[in-house]
Amino acid sequence: MRRFLLGLPGVDKVGLEARAARLGTRSIKTTAKAAGIDLAIRMIDLTTLEGADTAGKVRSLCAKARRPDPADPACPSTAAVCVYPDMVAVAKEQLAGTGIRVASVATAFPSGRASLEVKLADTAFAVAAGADEIDMVIDRGAFLSGHFAEVFDEIAAVKAACGPAHLKVILETGELATYDNVRRASWLAMLAGADFIKTSTGKVNPAATLPVTLLMLEAVRDYTGATGRKVGMKPAGGIRTSKDALKYLVTVNETLGEGWLDPDWFRFGASSLLNDLLLQRQKLSSGRYSGPNYVTVD
Amino acid sequence: MGIFDYAPAPESRAVVDVKPSYDLFIGGEFVPATGGVFKSVNPATEEVLAEIGLASAADVDRAVAAARTAYERTWSRMPGAERGKYLFRIARIIQERARELAVLESIDNGKPIRETRDVDVPLVAAHFFHYAGWADKLEYAGHGPAPRPLGVAAQVIPWNFPLLMLAWKIAPALACGNTVVLKPAETTPLTALLFAEICREADLPAGVVNIVTGAGETGAALVAHPGVDKVAFTGSTAVGRAIARTVAGTDKKLTLELGGKAANIVFDDAPIDQAVEGVIDSIFFNQGQVCCAGSRLLVQESIQDELLDALRRRMATLRLGDPLDKNTDIGAINSAEQLARITELTAAGEAEGAERWSPACELPAQGFWFAPTVFTNVSATHRIAREEIFGPVLSVLTFRTPDEAVAKANNTPYGLSAGVWTEKGSRILSMAKRLRAGVVWANTFNKFDPASPFGGYKESGYGREGGLQGLEAYLDV
């Protein structure tokens, strides 16, 4: 495992960032922009992960996920609502019959500093409460110390605890520090059984960036090519504008192709992004910009 | 139509005013040519853009005389700081009119707006800024305590980077106190003529910059003119040889920047994704019409399949079409003649047994187009591995050891550039030392900067452009 991960091709920082910057200059207009905005809305994991979360807050978020733009019934729903494990039951009830998934951050999110028993119990609790998707954090300490097998075993154990639920593995790329580490961690997570790999918790800066996302998409492409198993990707944190979201979609389109331009295979972990997408959507249909009072606060 | 095809995003042509006809620029005035006219066409549509004056020997004579007068009366006597002010002013106007220049360059040359807007024009401004800064510091440039200008410089430039080559030639010449007569290529004269307007806008003294348009004969007359003190040429090796013969035996100084057949060497420990990107950049930038293009890919045999799969996959995402569309990666080939030459050489590649591959790629019905192409199973004896194709055509060769890579890379009559891809720093340094090329890029390709000198070994020419070294070509040292 160690030899394999250390033997992966290196990443040239300058070249990776230049490629990401160039992908960011694609000009997306008119019909492509409208299609991209709707697609981005369908890919959002609408998220609330605060210490102050209440059932009321989660209920109102679920309502927004179902019908993001009250003025326009044609506006698509988001892919999922992402909450802490203790709020899964509330969200599940609110979203029953809508097809919108409930995702939950388990495994001692966001630090991941707890015993394996606690992490597995946390996961089992969320799944029992009805979570369709589990977002787990990896043990960055173990990874940075080079204890790759330990990280692998932990991901595999959580995957087993997930049962039918999909597992998204959060690498917390901001703490992994180098692009080489990000590529290794991506492979490690996929080999251990991750259904999705995810950049960040959103609690650490930097969170998702375009170069990191490009690099992880390349890892997904290479892993899928080598094993035939398709893995999804979720950048999370820091994506706030429609323009940014479109850059990510372009990057997916040109790295993995259209097969991944689907909420089953690509997600945005974001909450403030949705309102900007809605404003842009309204602008495209009306020809005028409205303001923050024309979209809901949550 | 895919679920997320990008809608067309064309840049507006309205930002630039293309006149129906253009005169020569001599002595600060636009004057009619006496040799007739020729046409400049848009290679992407074959539409005639404008009629251009064809400069006769008499016109060249007038231009050289104007340059001589300006040299003696004003420009060479002016303090360096004053010359610098003019150059700074030109650089700023280029930035202000960047959009106009980029669009005009795209429609006249066929290269994508993404390149003219993001690479060519910013570099043009950067060169003027760079040399503007040197104009009053020549005595500190390492060329002696009181370097003097040479006089009148005759400059002949190619069609692949019309504006950038103009900047590489004119900026150092003016900074050193020379005056110039420039002949742009006959297929791409429009941006040089717009530059003439910029010189007027900058109030550059009359005759310091003169522009004569025409084809080979005009260039030959200019190079052979007895009133010229310095000749600078960028273009094909064949023309370079002819110019060297013309200049031989005179006291004219000469710099030549000619063809290339660069090797791009990828070792098995290279950052693969970035190497693929670099290979794409090295050969499909400006449709491969780049003298330093990495047209020979030397890949270590142990990663050959992996790299070629990745390269083909990446090539399939290149977007070919309207050069003014902001999403276009590959534009039009500059002229019908050039297209014919690329077609002829690629046919020879197939006939000699190399394996040809291009992505599924629809070519527009009008204009001059060539799909990005890669040849595998190429051996060193094939014409496509030896001759400069000057088009989007990559030949792939393999090697087993670093020594073999060096031997194959250096086994060419040219020596303009080379690329090395490896994660190992010590290998980069040892390769750079052994490769006989003017520029060796490590883990990147086709990067230009006004501060770094550029030029060739062997049949790629002599002399350097850019940086401190670029000043030497225009100083009496």
Side-chain angles (χ1 to χ4, degrees), chain A residues 2-174:
Chain A
R2 191 185 164 77
R3 290 250 164 261
F4 172 78
L5 292 177
L6 295 178
L8 287 169
V11 183
D12 185 75
K13 183 172 183 279
V14 177
L16 176 74
E17 289 173 358
R19 170 70 178 144
R22 187 176 286 184
L23 283 167
T25 65
R26 288 291 196 209
S27 181
I28 304 300
K29 297 188 163 206
T30 58
T31 51
K33 187 170 178 182
I37 287 175
D38 276 11
L39 184 59
I41 293 175
R42 293 200 294 123
M43 286 173 165
I44 286 185
D45 284 3
L46 202 58
T47 303
T48 179
L49 296 171
E50 293 167 22
D53 282 347
T54 59
K57 163 92 179 165
V58 171
R59 273 197 288 271
S60 106
L61 196 71
C62 290
K64 174 129 182 179
R66 279 201 306 266
R67 196 163 180 187
D69 189 348
D72 182 1
C75 179
S77 316
T78 67
V81 167
C82 183
V83 293
Y84 274 118
D86 60 333
M87 287 293 161
V88 168
V90 178
K92 193 70 189 168
E93 190 198 330
Q94 292 295 310
L95 296 173
T98 58
I100 299 172
R101 317 267 183 88
V102 176
S104 180
V105 288
T107 66
F109 182 91
S111 71
R113 303 227 74 101
S115 70
L116 181 59
E117 290 76 37
V118 170
K119 291 181 185 177
L120 292 177
D122 200 13
T123 307
F125 172 77
V127 174
D132 305 295
E133 298 169 355
I134 297 295
D135 291 23
M136 80 167 281
V137 288
I138 65 165
D139 183 342
R140 280 88 75 191
F143 181 89
L144 290 170
S145 323
H147 300 143
F148 297 146
E150 209 174 287
V151 181
F152 181 95
D153 291 343
E154 193 172 275
I155 296 171
V158 173
K159 168 74 183 163
C162 280
H166 271 238
L167 176 65
K168 304 197 198 104
V169 177
I170 304 172
L171 309 181
E172 195 64 290
T173 52

Side-chain angles (χ1 to χ4, degrees), chain B residues 115 159 261 279-290 293-295 315 318 320 329-334 338-339 341-343 346 356-359 361 363 368-375 388-395:
Chain B
E115 291 177 9
W159 46 258
K261 190 74 187 173
V279 171
I280 294 283
D281 254 349
S282 76
I283 187 64
F284 302 124
F285 180 65
N286 195 13
Q287 295 72 251
Q289 302 169 132
V290 184
S295 50
M315 280 171 71
L318 290 171
L320 179 145
D329 298 315
I330 303 216
I333 300 298
N334 184 252
Q338 185 55 25
L339 181 60
R341 174 166 167 78
I342 300 170
T343 310
T346 46
R356 178 180 187 157
W357 184 87
S358 290
C361 173
L363 300 184
F368 316 125
W369 302 90
F370 199 88
T373 300
V374 57
F375 276 104
E388 187 178 32
I389 300 176
F390 227 62
V393 182
L394 180 67
S395 301

Side-chain angles (χ1 to χ4, degrees), chain A residues 12 19 26-27 183 221 258, chain B residues 2 273-274 314 327 329:
Chain A
D12 185 75
R19 170 70 178 144
R26 288 291 196 209
S27 181
R183 175 171 285 175
R221 181 195 66 202
E258 287 193 348
Chain B
D273 289 314
Q274 285 77 51
R314 176 67 178 89
N327 291 327
D329 298 315

